[in-house]
Amino acid sequence: MSNNPTYDTNIVLTQEEEDRLLIQRSYRKLLQSIREVMDEQDQQNVRIAFDLAVEAHSQQRRRSGEPYILHPLEVARICVEEIGLGPTAVICAILHDVVEDTKVTLEDIKQKFGDRGTRISTIVDGLTKLDGTHEYPNRQAENFRKVLKTLTEDVRVVLIKMADRLHNMRTIDAMPQKKQLKIAAETAYIYAPLAHRLGLYNFKTEFEDLCMKVTDRENYKFIAQKLNETKRARVEYIDRFSQPLKQRLDELNIPYRLHGRPKSIYSIWNKINNKKVAFEQIYDLFAIRIIADVPPREERLTCWMIYSVVSDVYRPIPERLKDWIGNPKTNGYESLHTTVVGPEGRFVEVQVRTERMNEIAEKGFAAHWKYKGVVPQPNVYNLWLNSIRDVLDNSESDALEFIHDFKSHLFKDEVFVFTPKGDMISLPKGSTALDFAFWIHSDVGYHCSAVKIDGSIVRMGKELENGNRVEVITDSRQKPKKEWLSMVATSRAKNRIRSAMKEERRKVGELGKEALERKLKNLKVEFEESVSLLIKHFGYNSQIDLFYDISTEQRTIPAIFKDFKAVNGKLILKEEVPVKQQQNKIVVDPKLLHLKTSKSGLLINDEPAELFQYQLASCCNPVQGDDIFAFLSANAGLKIHRTNCSNAHNLMMNYGYRIMRANWTTTTDTSFVADLLLIGIDRPGVIENLSHEISSTLNLNIRWLNIAANEGRFEAELGLLVANKDQLYIAINALEKLEMVSTVKRRG
Ligand code: MN
């Protein structure tokens, strides 16, 4: 053996070399996935984008310690492999964080890509978050509104955004907990439903699972483990179910594949939760999917042929047949679903579709383009995009309200109704007769004086039902009224009514405006500047509101100018009114600042909880050991919630900036009240039995115990004093083992 170092197998790489290797590997993987569809110019452009992004991000690392560039490369790969996008999207994905985080500008990007520069920089612009120089009360929502604005220009923006979010969710473990919660809440609130609406079924499912993993780790782990334990039995059952089916399907002489797919952890948990059943009682943990490979013209016939084979072999349950081939879902989903009775009398869901339908079901929007022309309803997306445009154009609300609107407007199911001429119109479910009028035309809405459904006059706020024939009666003297706002459900109608009323207020306000103009002229001060001062001083939202109040004498000119005087052509306040004290400030007692450890065993932002005013939230009653966060409430200081508290999602999404980190320290001698719900068989002595088990055997104290019994079943609310989560779970286990108890659940 020589000592020549080239024979050393443990070559130590420098950090730089290691990074370069990682980056090269990731880039090569990306190229492999897209090579086939690229021409020479694409190849060059991808290389330019790569070099640009590597250089721009060279000083950045992700929280996990990896070089930052790995993130955009991975997002690009997801765009190709999991959505099916092409080279332009890859280039934009590689560049998606460049403008935001580095010195590279949109103009730089535009220059570098020749005739494709404009398109690429437009998309990258859409992906770039709003810069930090503006103050927004809710940045995240504003950013999302921006994404949607660009969505109507180029759909790829939102698809790349989805891939970006998916990669961030897949790597969320490296984030601090507070951020994890906020990101997960946003994802569950807006990205998962949007993925669903775009037909990105796999994205939606993965989003939901990843969110659950963050916000409800325990139940997630519980189900993942159960699925793992029961895997073998499930595979065997699927085999037994498929064998006779395959024999018959082979006789059809059509290329097909058949497989059993497990349902997502999130959907299983939902079922357990909603139906209040145990894991073992859920039979449809999987669905059988049969995918045929046939040309477009034979699709429908083939699917029904396969259906008839399935229902020949196993008895179908007629009311569970769903034909989404004849009536595709509005997100483009096509498939035939049926539920049959399989071996051992178990219900099994079978989905029949073709390869094309499958690709659309999994890749949604993007796949639709690939099959342009084959799709039975090529307009579904155009209709949808139009309605997004509509919400965007008409929305004057703040960003949060907008997102809310957007969600309720675009994610709802539809209701189908007819015009008197027999044209079918689809409206969001929950729409009313008056919504219909505004849907037809804004003028029809403004002058709507009555509505007939199926020939008879109804309330204007009546909710539409499928198949209704709707006729609007107009009257040119009619005008939108404030009460109308409560009679409509669509944001389109709401916005039209609001702007019509605003116009009305503006007209009324003209008089007030003139009066004010005269007064300001007399004082010899500038109009616009003075009006802004008055608006601010009296807390109005707009000039129109001020003018309106003057016109209607809710605020008179003398009253307004009581507080003001003109000095050197400027309007100023006679005396400074003290600025309102800032609210929501946390009061810290300076005497407490020297405390190092927390008596209650709780840290908030790494400080002892005693420094803050805080309470354990009564909706979920956290105990020592639970995953928790602190939330700054509007008037009651900090509240400590469990991360899987049912209120938490909403709080985290809407008020992410009020969340603070909270942790338990290990030592504590405090007790916590756990809020339990027990269900079981009612028999004499239930109360004695329960209290005996708790006080004597478990040696715990009861805070409250309310029992209601009815027809042989009891429900008990139990407040139990425990030291920590471990002790609580020992107690839950022990109580579940009692003969008369069937389930024990934590509430909240
Ligand atoms: Mn990103």
Side-chain angles (χ1 to χ4, degrees):
M1 284 279 277
S2 107
N3 277 332
N4 189 327
T6 48
Y7 286 96
D8 189 350
T9 49
N10 293 315
I11 300 166
V12 181
L13 296 176
T14 65
Q15 180 73 55
E16 211 172 300
E17 287 166 331
E18 209 173 289
D19 285 355
R20 201 178 317 136
L21 219 67
L22 270 173
I23 295 168
Q24 280 303 329
R25 200 176 298 153
S26 167
Y27 182 56
R28 229 172 290 136
K29 206 168 144 197
L30 170 65
L31 286 183
Q32 267 162 22
S33 67
I34 192 164
R35 185 153 281 154
E36 290 165 35
V37 297
M38 288 201 293
D39 62 26
E40 208 164 299
Q41 199 194 343
D42 290 330
Q43 280 173 16
Q44 270 173 19
N45 281 345
V46 169
R47 182 76 214 186
I48 293 171
F50 173 70
D51 289 339
L52 184 65
V54 168
E55 170 63 26
H57 291 301
S58 62
Q59 298 308 314
Q60 291 173 295
R61 289 189 177 274
R62 299 200 85 204
R63 225 163 222 287
S64 58
E66 296 175 329
Y68 192 86
I69 182 73
L70 295 181
H71 163 66
L73 288 177
E74 189 57 22
V75 172
R77 200 195 53 73
I78 293 172
C79 286
V80 179
E81 290 185 3
E82 300 181 41
I83 310 181
L85 294 174
T88 305
V90 164
I91 292 164
C92 297
I94 294 175
L95 298 173
H96 82 267
D97 279 334
V98 155
V99 175
E100 187 180 325
D101 298 344
T102 75
K103 284 188 214 118
V104 179
T105 64
L106 285 171
E107 196 51 39
D108 295 338
I109 290 174
K110 205 166 162 182
Q111 301 297 326
K112 282 201 189 260
F113 295 97
D115 56 344
R116 296 187 198 175
T118 310
R119 174 91 326 208
I120 290 171
S121 71
T122 307
I123 297 176
V124 173
D125 184 26
L127 292 163
T128 303
K129 293 198 199 92
L130 298 160
D131 68 67
T133 54
H134 293 89
E135 267 305 312
Y136 296 104
N138 200 309
R139 300 195 58 76
Q140 211 43 54
E142 287 290 354
N143 277 321
F144 193 76
R145 171 144 69 173
K146 187 181 170 198
V147 168
L148 288 176
K149 266 197 181 130
T150 352
L151 158 71
T152 57
E153 272 171 45
D154 195 313
V155 175
R156 281 172 290 194
V157 174
V158 85
L159 294 175
I160 297 168
K161 192 80 196 157
M162 286 284 166
D164 183 24
R165 179 52 63 125
L166 186 60
H167 187 241
N168 286 335
M169 284 300 294
R170 281 177 181 168
T171 52
I172 200 169
D173 285 347
M175 286 283 173
Q177 189 221 19
K178 177 189 159 178
K179 266 203 138 164
Q180 285 192 17
L181 291 173
K182 184 162 164 28
I183 294 171
E186 262 165 36
T187 306
Y189 186 76
I190 196 91
Y191 286 89
L194 186 57
H196 181 70
R197 199 63 183 72
L198 291 167
L200 293 167
Y201 182 76
N202 290 350
F203 274 58
K204 173 197 171 233
T205 314
E206 193 172 345
F207 277 147
E208 286 169 345
D209 273 7
L210 290 169
C211 289
M212 184 181 168
K213 205 171 159 188
V214 171
T215 54
D216 199 356
R217 209 165 29 152
E218 237 162 279
N219 286 317
Y220 180 89
K221 279 201 298 205
F222 166 75
I223 291 171
Q225 194 192 334
K226 284 277 188 188
L227 276 176
N228 212 8
E229 284 167 6
T230 52
K231 191 172 176 188
R232 184 199 275 232
R234 195 161 51 247
V235 170
E236 274 171 20
Y237 186 86
I238 291 174
D239 247 24
R240 209 152 21 111
F241 181 88
S242 312
Q243 275 321 318
L245 213 51
K246 279 183 180 162
Q247 277 177 16
R248 291 283 310 275
L249 287 171
D250 289 344
E251 291 166 14
L252 289 178
N253 261 328
I254 294 163
Y256 75 94
R257 51 199 178 101
L258 181 155
H259 56 149
R261 280 180 62 101
K263 301 231 162 134
S264 73
I265 291 181
Y266 175 78
S267 67
I268 293 170
W269 172 242
N270 255 345
K271 207 160 263 181
I272 291 179
N273 222 7
N274 294 339
K275 299 201 172 153
K276 307 260 175 273
V277 292
F279 179 88
E280 286 73 17
Q281 288 165 277
I282 294 186
Y283 286 114
D284 51 348
L285 292 170
F286 61 90
I288 299 287
R289 192 171 286 172
I290 304 170
I291 305 166
D293 194 1
V294 293
R297 297 179 42 189
E298 292 161 30
E299 286 188 319
R300 202 176 280 223
L301 184 64
T302 308
C303 288
W304 284 104
M305 260 155 65
I306 293 173
Y307 169 77
S308 92
V309 168
V310 174
S311 56
D312 242 16
V313 179
Y314 296 111
R315 188 165 61 80
I317 298 165
E319 58 273 21
R320 300 280 281 272
L321 174 66
K322 289 190 188 114
D323 172 16
W324 279 308
I325 295 179
N327 294 300
K329 288 194 191 176
T330 39
N331 64 11
Y333 183 86
E334 294 170 80
S335 199
L336 214 52
H337 290 197
T338 179
T339 299
V340 298
V341 185
E344 293 160 29
R346 281 167 63 175
F347 287 10
V348 177
E349 183 180 317
V350 182
Q351 306 170 350
V352 183
R353 55 175 78 160
T354 63
E355 291 289 352
R356 179 190 64 84
M357 295 174 189
N358 192 50
E359 195 167 350
I360 286 173
E362 288 183 348
K363 295 181 176 169
F365 227 116
H368 262 291
W369 284 347
K370 186 171 158 190
Y371 292 106
K372 230 176 195 165
V374 183
V375 187
Q377 284 184 305
N379 280 330
V380 280
Y381 284 124
N382 284 338
L383 280 176
W384 188 65
L385 285 177
N386 282 339
S387 54
I388 290 183
R389 256 178 227 130
D390 213 62
V391 179
L392 284 166
D393 291 348
N394 286 298
S395 175
E396 288 166 15
S397 44
D398 72 67
L400 269 182
E401 209 179 299
F402 162 75
I403 299 259
H404 182 77
D405 247 25
F406 174 77
K407 245 183 89 99
S408 56
H409 179 68
L410 293 168
F411 296 153
K412 261 191 205 160
D413 291 333
E414 269 105 315
V415 55
F416 297 97
V417 295
F418 297 93
T419 67
K421 282 183 189 157
D423 294 330
M424 189 170 85
I425 288 184
S426 93
L427 287 149
K429 204 169 188 164
S431 295
T432 64
L434 189 54
D435 278 311
F436 177 91
F438 277 96
W439 201 262
I440 296 295
H441 196 276
S442 24
D443 276 340
V444 176
Y446 294 147
H447 303 305
C448 171
S449 62
V451 185
K452 277 184 179 175
I453 287 183
D454 297 331
S456 41
I457 300 274
V458 296
R459 289 181 296 114
M460 277 156 68
K462 172 137 184 16
E463 194 176 320
L464 299 172
E465 285 166 33
N466 272 325
N468 280 166
R469 185 175 292 266
V470 194
E471 188 183 341
V472 180
I473 298 154
T474 55
D475 180 339
S476 58
R477 286 162 303 179
Q478 179 71 295
K479 263 190 282 186
K481 303 178 174 68
K482 198 174 165 203
E483 306 86 78
W484 283 16
L485 285 171
S486 61
M487 296 179 200
V488 294
T490 62
S491 47
R492 179 194 194 125
K494 274 199 183 119
N495 286 321
R496 299 274 149 87
I497 295 168
R498 274 199 204 108
S499 58
M501 280 174 14
K502 198 167 161 191
E503 182 53 28
E504 191 65 27
R505 277 172 81 80
R506 198 190 58 73
K507 274 189 205 152
V508 174
E510 282 296 326
L511 273 175
K513 186 181 176 188
E514 281 164 24
L516 190 60
E517 258 169 350
R518 274 196 304 275
K519 174 74 185 177
L520 291 171
K521 215 170 183 178
N522 282 337
L523 290 170
K524 297 199 170 55
V525 295
E526 207 265 328
F527 180 76
E528 286 294 333
E529 196 186 332
S530 312
V531 169
S532 334
L533 178 68
L534 294 176
I535 286 173
K536 212 168 145 196
H537 179 73
F538 293 110
Y540 284 107
N541 287 323
S542 69
Q543 297 195 348
I544 293 173
D545 293 338
L546 172 66
F547 300 156
Y548 181 86
D549 275 8
I550 297 172
S551 287
T552 53
E553 293 185 330
Q554 294 179 56
R555 203 177 280 284
T556 61
I557 298 279
I560 291 174
F561 288 92
K562 210 172 63 198
D563 296 343
F564 288 92
K565 57 183 175 185
V567 178
N568 300 330
K570 258 188 150 54
L571 198 65
I572 57 165
L573 265 180
K574 280 186 180 154
E575 51 187 307
E576 280 303 318
V577 178
V579 181
K580 266 190 198 163
Q581 282 288 307
Q582 207 190 331
Q583 285 179 351
N584 292 340
K585 223 168 140 192
I586 304 161
V587 184
V588 179
D589 181 347
K591 270 178 286 176
L592 291 168
L593 277 169
H594 66 277
L595 273 176
K596 289 266 162 61
T597 52
S598 163
K599 264 192 277 173
S600 62
L602 184 63
L603 296 177
I604 296 172
N605 272 359
D606 296 327
E607 303 271 11
E610 288 76 11
L611 295 179
F612 305 94
Q613 293 182 334
Y614 79 94
Q615 280 177 324
L616 300 177
S618 57
C619 50
C620 57
N621 287 300
V623 306
Q624 210 267 336
D626 281 331
D627 287 338
I628 48 169
F629 68 95
F631 181 78
L632 181 58
S633 63
N635 40 31
L638 288 164
K639 289 259 169 106
I640 311 296
H641 291 267
R642 277 151 57 188
T643 58
N644 60 0
C645 166
S646 41
N647 289 330
H649 268 113
N650 192 20
L651 294 178
M652 289 186 290
M653 169 65 200
N654 289 336
Y655 306 102
Y657 55 94
R658 292 195 190 164
I659 292 179
M660 294 165 86
R661 184 173 30 182
N663 311 91
W664 303 104
T665 57
T666 39
T667 54
T668 172
D669 42 51
T670 330
S671 293
F672 299 88
V673 188
D675 190 359
L676 299 178
L677 179 69
L678 281 68
I679 295 171
I681 307 157
D682 182 34
R683 57 171 70 140
V686 165
I687 298 186
E688 289 82 354
N689 267 323
L690 280 178
S691 37
H692 177 81
E693 178 70 17
I694 294 162
S695 350
S696 306
T697 319
L698 292 165
N699 214 353
L700 294 174
N701 286 316
I702 296 175
R703 201 29 108 60
W704 64 78
L705 176 60
N706 306 317
I707 293 199
N710 186 15
E711 296 176 2
R713 172 182 182 276
F714 79 79
E715 260 188 51
E717 293 169 6
L718 170 64
L720 201 59
L721 279 173
V722 293
N724 54 41
K725 194 172 77 165
D726 293 340
Q727 201 177 49
L728 173 61
Y729 280 90
I730 291 170
I732 289 178
N733 259 324
L735 291 170
E736 267 178 342
K737 289 216 175 82
L738 291 177
E739 216 196 310
M740 72 249 179
V741 175
S742 64
T743 59
V744 181
K745 263 187 69 170
R746 273 184 91 178
R747 305 208 302 169

